[in-house]
């Protein structure tokens, strides 16, 4: 965490460091400053000197490679992408309000942030290694040790070969124009735009081309969607399905939940985001529990891999008012209304309508 940002971060755990910004801090910048960007770690943050860092590329390739940071910078075209990272546990607190999910952090809507990422295209690096026919998955391995796995194991994950060779997937060493900070994966991390944050492996050390998904704990056992009646204590490797693309979601960032406000026009602001090849088409806001809706204005389009800020100015009636939002994506899918309908035991992908409650008093009274 950067000095001076403590007041904007809600820290769920110190080590491993897990923290998210307050909703109002997140609303301030369309490109999230480093000190406000959420942090999600399964192990202690490793400290790696950039000059000692090496990346191995192996498995089903013609030319296994070992690259230094200088090699990456010299051998491959520099590329940039503005991309949102969203943790699969984003908005879990809304599921925990329905039914307890023990042992999991109660993330609000702040496990989502957006940056301008700079580095090399993973497709370019894989092309230099020369993938052999039959490769279906690209595995990532990092050095940080995750105690959640039994026995503890280094963090890892995989994505499909198609996603790995799509132009947006990158090896990153710059965040918002500066060297990638260690807490976000420096010297080098993977960024997989449009996929859940878990696939954007930090402190990447090894990339393996193979013909099956990773058997790492975070691919084979965690970050999988189980049915609501599954008993997580009895589930095993390969149960449920692995989470990949981010679901359509939105959040209300301003005003604060439980704010006390004067009656009259108030601006409601939030984000909406949909993974992979889906864009945000429309966001609606309601102040009467979803009986009537006002269409929000979509703010600047930061490109296909980024969230969309939105705002709407509504007249608030006096009393306890619930403000609700719902987003549509470009396939005309709309968010589900109730968290009960998306509840699942590890508490992933709560994309039900976001709602806040404010207390409105009469300014004239
Ligand atoms: N990579 C490593 N090596 N170790 C981790 O614990 N956490 C993942 C992913 N990459 C993780 C990792 C998860 S679950 C998320 S949501 C994102 O990193 C969070 O990235 P951030 O901390 O930069 O926000």
């Amino acid at each position: 965490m950067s000095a001076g940002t403590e007041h904007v971060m809600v820290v769920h755990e110190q080590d491993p460091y897990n923290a998210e910004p307050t909703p109002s801090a997140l609303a301030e910048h369309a490109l999230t400053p480093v000190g406000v960007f959420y942090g999600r770690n399964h192990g202690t943050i490793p400290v790696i000197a950039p000059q000692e860092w090496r990346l191995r590329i192996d498995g089903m390739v013609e030319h296994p490679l070992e690259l230094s940071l200088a090699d990456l910078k010299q051998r491959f075209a520099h590329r940039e992408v503005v991309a949102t990272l969203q943790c699969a546990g984003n908005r879990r607190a809304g599921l925990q309000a329905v039914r307890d999910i023990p042992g999991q952090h109660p993330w609000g809507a702040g496990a989502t942030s957006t940056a301008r990422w700079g580095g090399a295209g993973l497709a370019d690096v894989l092309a230099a290694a020369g993938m052999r026919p039959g490769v279906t998955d690209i595995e990532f391995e990092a050095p940080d040790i995750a105690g959640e796995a039994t026995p503890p194991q280094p963090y890892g994950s995989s994505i499909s070969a198609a996603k790995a060779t799509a132009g947006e997937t990158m090896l990153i060493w710059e965040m918002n124009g500066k060297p990638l900070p260690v807490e976000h994966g420096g010297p080098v991390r993977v960024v997989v735009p449009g996929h859940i944050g878990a696939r954007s492996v930090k402190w990447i050390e090894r990339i393996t081309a193979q013909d099956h998904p990773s058997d790492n704990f975070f691919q084979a056992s965690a970050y999988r969607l189980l049915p609501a009646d599954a008993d997580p204590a009895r589930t095993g490797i390969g149960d449920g399905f692995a989470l990949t693309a981010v679901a359509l979601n939105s959040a209300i960032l301003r005003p604060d939940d439980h704010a006390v406000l004067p009656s009259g026009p108030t601006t409601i602001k939030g984000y909406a985001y949909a993974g992979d090849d889906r864009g945000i088409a429309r966001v609606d806001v309601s102040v009467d529990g979803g009986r009537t809706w006002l269409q929000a204005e979509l703010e600047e389009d930061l490109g296909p891999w980024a969230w969309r800020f939105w705002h709407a100015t509504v007249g608030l009636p006096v009393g306890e008012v619930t403000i609700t939002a719902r987003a549509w994506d470009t396939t005309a899918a709309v968010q589900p209304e109730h968290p009960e309908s998306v509840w699942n035991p590890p508490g992933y992908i709560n994309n039900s309508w976001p709602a806040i409650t404010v207390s409105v008093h009469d300014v004239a009274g």
Side-chain angles (χ1 to χ4, degrees), residues 37-43 85 87 142 144 155 183-184 189 197-198 200-203 223:
F37 205 101
Y38 79 97
R40 175 70 180 111
N41 296 293
H42 290 277
L85 289 190
C87 187
D144 53 317
Y155 189 88
E183 59 269 37
H184 293 294
R189 78 178 298 169
S200 290
V201 174
K202 300 188 271 192
W203 315 290
Y223 294 113

Short mmCIF file of all heavy atoms in Angstrom, two decimals, residues 37-43 85 87 142 144 155 183-184 189 197-198 200-203 223, ligand 1:
data_model
loop_
_atom_site.label_atom_id
_atom_site.label_comp_id
_atom_site.label_asym_id
_atom_site.label_seq_id
_atom_site.Cartn_x
_atom_site.Cartn_y
_atom_site.Cartn_z
N PHE A 37 -5.94 1.29 -6.26
CA PHE A 37 -6.23 0.02 -6.96
C PHE A 37 -6.33 -1.11 -5.92
O PHE A 37 -5.48 -1.22 -5.04
CB PHE A 37 -5.07 -0.27 -7.93
CG PHE A 37 -5.44 -1.14 -9.10
CD1 PHE A 37 -5.68 -0.60 -10.36
CD2 PHE A 37 -5.54 -2.51 -8.95
CE1 PHE A 37 -5.99 -1.40 -11.46
CE2 PHE A 37 -5.86 -3.33 -10.03
CZ PHE A 37 -6.09 -2.76 -11.29
N TYR A 38 -7.37 -1.95 -6.02
CA TYR A 38 -7.52 -3.03 -5.04
C TYR A 38 -6.33 -3.98 -5.10
O TYR A 38 -5.65 -4.09 -6.12
CB TYR A 38 -8.84 -3.79 -5.26
CG TYR A 38 -8.84 -4.81 -6.39
CD1 TYR A 38 -8.62 -6.17 -6.12
CD2 TYR A 38 -9.06 -4.45 -7.71
CE1 TYR A 38 -8.64 -7.12 -7.13
CE2 TYR A 38 -9.08 -5.38 -8.73
CZ TYR A 38 -8.86 -6.72 -8.44
OH TYR A 38 -8.86 -7.65 -9.44
N GLY A 39 -6.08 -4.66 -3.99
CA GLY A 39 -5.03 -5.67 -3.93
C GLY A 39 -5.62 -7.00 -3.50
O GLY A 39 -6.37 -7.06 -2.51
N ARG A 40 -5.34 -8.06 -4.26
CA ARG A 40 -5.86 -9.40 -3.92
C ARG A 40 -4.69 -10.37 -3.95
O ARG A 40 -4.11 -10.62 -5.03
CB ARG A 40 -6.94 -9.82 -4.92
CG ARG A 40 -7.46 -11.23 -4.73
CD ARG A 40 -8.28 -11.34 -3.48
NE ARG A 40 -8.82 -12.67 -3.23
CZ ARG A 40 -8.40 -13.46 -2.22
NH1 ARG A 40 -7.40 -13.11 -1.44
NH2 ARG A 40 -8.99 -14.62 -2.00
N ASN A 41 -4.32 -10.88 -2.81
CA ASN A 41 -3.16 -11.78 -2.71
C ASN A 41 -3.51 -13.03 -1.94
O ASN A 41 -4.19 -12.97 -0.92
CB ASN A 41 -2.01 -11.05 -2.00
CG ASN A 41 -1.54 -9.86 -2.82
OD1 ASN A 41 -0.99 -10.01 -3.90
ND2 ASN A 41 -1.80 -8.66 -2.31
N HIS A 42 -3.00 -14.17 -2.43
CA HIS A 42 -3.20 -15.45 -1.75
C HIS A 42 -1.97 -15.85 -0.94
O HIS A 42 -2.00 -16.84 -0.23
CB HIS A 42 -3.56 -16.53 -2.76
CG HIS A 42 -4.93 -16.34 -3.34
ND1 HIS A 42 -6.05 -16.79 -2.69
CD2 HIS A 42 -5.35 -15.73 -4.45
CE1 HIS A 42 -7.12 -16.48 -3.41
NE2 HIS A 42 -6.72 -15.83 -4.49
N GLY A 43 -0.88 -15.12 -1.09
CA GLY A 43 0.34 -15.41 -0.33
C GLY A 43 1.04 -14.10 -0.03
O GLY A 43 0.59 -13.02 -0.44
N LEU A 85 -9.46 -4.83 -14.08
CA LEU A 85 -9.34 -6.12 -13.38
C LEU A 85 -10.49 -6.21 -12.38
O LEU A 85 -10.75 -5.24 -11.66
CB LEU A 85 -8.02 -6.23 -12.62
CG LEU A 85 -6.74 -6.39 -13.42
CD1 LEU A 85 -5.58 -6.73 -12.48
CD2 LEU A 85 -6.86 -7.44 -14.50
N CYS A 87 -11.99 -8.94 -9.48
CA CYS A 87 -11.86 -10.22 -8.77
C CYS A 87 -13.19 -10.96 -8.82
O CYS A 87 -14.25 -10.34 -8.75
CB CYS A 87 -11.45 -9.97 -7.32
SG CYS A 87 -11.08 -11.51 -6.48
N ALA A 142 3.75 -18.60 -10.66
CA ALA A 142 4.37 -17.51 -9.90
C ALA A 142 5.08 -18.09 -8.67
O ALA A 142 4.86 -19.26 -8.33
CB ALA A 142 3.30 -16.52 -9.48
N ASP A 144 4.90 -16.89 -5.40
CA ASP A 144 4.28 -16.69 -4.08
C ASP A 144 3.52 -17.95 -3.66
O ASP A 144 2.83 -18.57 -4.46
CB ASP A 144 3.36 -15.46 -4.08
CG ASP A 144 2.31 -15.48 -5.20
OD1 ASP A 144 2.67 -15.85 -6.34
OD2 ASP A 144 1.15 -15.16 -4.92
N TYR A 155 1.28 -19.86 -6.49
CA TYR A 155 0.10 -19.41 -7.22
C TYR A 155 0.26 -19.70 -8.71
O TYR A 155 1.33 -19.50 -9.29
CB TYR A 155 -0.14 -17.91 -7.02
CG TYR A 155 -1.48 -17.48 -7.57
CD1 TYR A 155 -2.62 -17.55 -6.79
CD2 TYR A 155 -1.62 -17.09 -8.90
CE1 TYR A 155 -3.87 -17.21 -7.29
CE2 TYR A 155 -2.86 -16.75 -9.42
CZ TYR A 155 -3.98 -16.81 -8.61
OH TYR A 155 -5.21 -16.49 -9.12
N GLU A 183 3.50 -4.64 -5.47
CA GLU A 183 2.24 -5.16 -4.93
C GLU A 183 1.23 -5.50 -6.04
O GLU A 183 0.26 -6.21 -5.80
CB GLU A 183 1.62 -4.21 -3.90
CG GLU A 183 1.31 -2.81 -4.37
CD GLU A 183 2.45 -1.82 -4.17
OE1 GLU A 183 3.63 -2.22 -4.32
OE2 GLU A 183 2.16 -0.65 -3.88
N HIS A 184 1.47 -5.02 -7.26
CA HIS A 184 0.59 -5.39 -8.38
C HIS A 184 1.29 -6.33 -9.35
O HIS A 184 0.87 -6.47 -10.51
CB HIS A 184 0.04 -4.14 -9.06
CG HIS A 184 -0.89 -3.38 -8.15
ND1 HIS A 184 -2.11 -3.90 -7.74
CD2 HIS A 184 -0.76 -2.19 -7.52
CE1 HIS A 184 -2.69 -3.04 -6.93
NE2 HIS A 184 -1.90 -2.00 -6.76
N ARG A 189 3.90 -9.00 -14.71
CA ARG A 189 2.71 -9.82 -14.49
C ARG A 189 2.01 -10.05 -15.82
O ARG A 189 2.30 -9.38 -16.81
CB ARG A 189 1.72 -9.13 -13.55
CG ARG A 189 0.91 -8.04 -14.24
CD ARG A 189 -0.10 -7.39 -13.33
NE ARG A 189 -1.11 -8.31 -12.83
CZ ARG A 189 -1.97 -8.02 -11.87
NH1 ARG A 189 -1.96 -6.82 -11.29
NH2 ARG A 189 -2.86 -8.90 -11.46
N GLY A 197 -9.97 -11.57 -12.48
CA GLY A 197 -8.63 -11.14 -12.07
C GLY A 197 -7.68 -12.27 -11.76
O GLY A 197 -6.46 -12.15 -11.93
N ALA A 198 -8.21 -13.41 -11.30
CA ALA A 198 -7.38 -14.54 -10.88
C ALA A 198 -6.46 -15.04 -12.00
O ALA A 198 -5.42 -15.65 -11.74
CB ALA A 198 -8.26 -15.69 -10.40
N SER A 200 -4.92 -13.13 -14.16
CA SER A 200 -3.86 -12.14 -14.42
C SER A 200 -2.74 -12.35 -13.40
O SER A 200 -2.62 -11.63 -12.40
CB SER A 200 -4.43 -10.72 -14.33
OG SER A 200 -5.27 -10.48 -15.43
N VAL A 201 -1.93 -13.36 -13.65
CA VAL A 201 -0.96 -13.84 -12.65
C VAL A 201 0.18 -12.83 -12.46
O VAL A 201 0.81 -12.41 -13.42
CB VAL A 201 -0.44 -15.23 -13.05
CG1 VAL A 201 0.68 -15.69 -12.12
CG2 VAL A 201 -1.58 -16.24 -13.05
N LYS A 202 0.39 -12.46 -11.19
CA LYS A 202 1.45 -11.51 -10.83
C LYS A 202 2.78 -12.25 -10.67
O LYS A 202 2.81 -13.44 -10.46
CB LYS A 202 1.06 -10.81 -9.52
CG LYS A 202 -0.26 -10.04 -9.63
CD LYS A 202 -0.56 -9.19 -8.42
CE LYS A 202 -1.32 -9.94 -7.37
NZ LYS A 202 -1.87 -9.04 -6.32
N TRP A 203 3.88 -11.51 -10.74
CA TRP A 203 5.25 -12.03 -10.55
C TRP A 203 5.47 -13.29 -11.41
O TRP A 203 6.09 -14.27 -10.98
CB TRP A 203 5.51 -12.36 -9.06
CG TRP A 203 5.01 -11.26 -8.16
CD1 TRP A 203 5.55 -10.03 -8.05
CD2 TRP A 203 3.87 -11.30 -7.27
NE1 TRP A 203 4.81 -9.27 -7.15
CE2 TRP A 203 3.79 -10.03 -6.66
CE3 TRP A 203 2.92 -12.27 -6.95
CZ2 TRP A 203 2.79 -9.71 -5.74
CZ3 TRP A 203 1.93 -11.95 -6.03
CH2 TRP A 203 1.87 -10.69 -5.45
N TYR A 223 -11.77 -20.75 -7.69
CA TYR A 223 -12.24 -19.96 -8.84
C TYR A 223 -13.03 -20.81 -9.82
O TYR A 223 -12.89 -20.72 -11.04
CB TYR A 223 -11.08 -19.20 -9.51
CG TYR A 223 -10.53 -18.16 -8.57
CD1 TYR A 223 -9.25 -18.26 -8.04
CD2 TYR A 223 -11.33 -17.11 -8.16
CE1 TYR A 223 -8.78 -17.33 -7.12
CE2 TYR A 223 -10.86 -16.18 -7.24
CZ TYR A 223 -9.60 -16.29 -6.74
OH TYR A 223 -9.15 -15.37 -5.82
N1 LIG B 1 -1.00 -13.66 -8.92
C1 LIG B 1 -0.25 -14.19 -7.95
N2 LIG B 1 1.00 -14.57 -8.23
N3 LIG B 1 -0.71 -14.36 -6.68
C2 LIG B 1 -2.01 -13.99 -6.34
O1 LIG B 1 -2.40 -14.14 -5.18
N4 LIG B 1 -4.13 -13.05 -7.13
C3 LIG B 1 -4.99 -13.02 -8.32
C4 LIG B 1 -4.33 -12.28 -9.47
N5 LIG B 1 -2.98 -12.71 -9.64
C5 LIG B 1 -2.82 -13.43 -7.36
C6 LIG B 1 -2.26 -13.26 -8.65
C7 LIG B 1 -6.29 -12.44 -8.07
S1 LIG B 1 -7.42 -13.45 -7.32
C8 LIG B 1 -6.62 -11.20 -8.52
S2 LIG B 1 -8.22 -10.64 -8.41
C9 LIG B 1 -5.64 -10.29 -9.10
O2 LIG B 1 -4.34 -10.88 -9.17
C10 LIG B 1 -5.52 -9.02 -8.31
O3 LIG B 1 -4.54 -8.17 -8.82
P1 LIG B 1 -4.11 -6.88 -8.00
O4 LIG B 1 -3.68 -7.30 -6.63
O5 LIG B 1 -3.04 -6.21 -8.79
O6 LIG B 1 -5.35 -6.03 -7.92
#
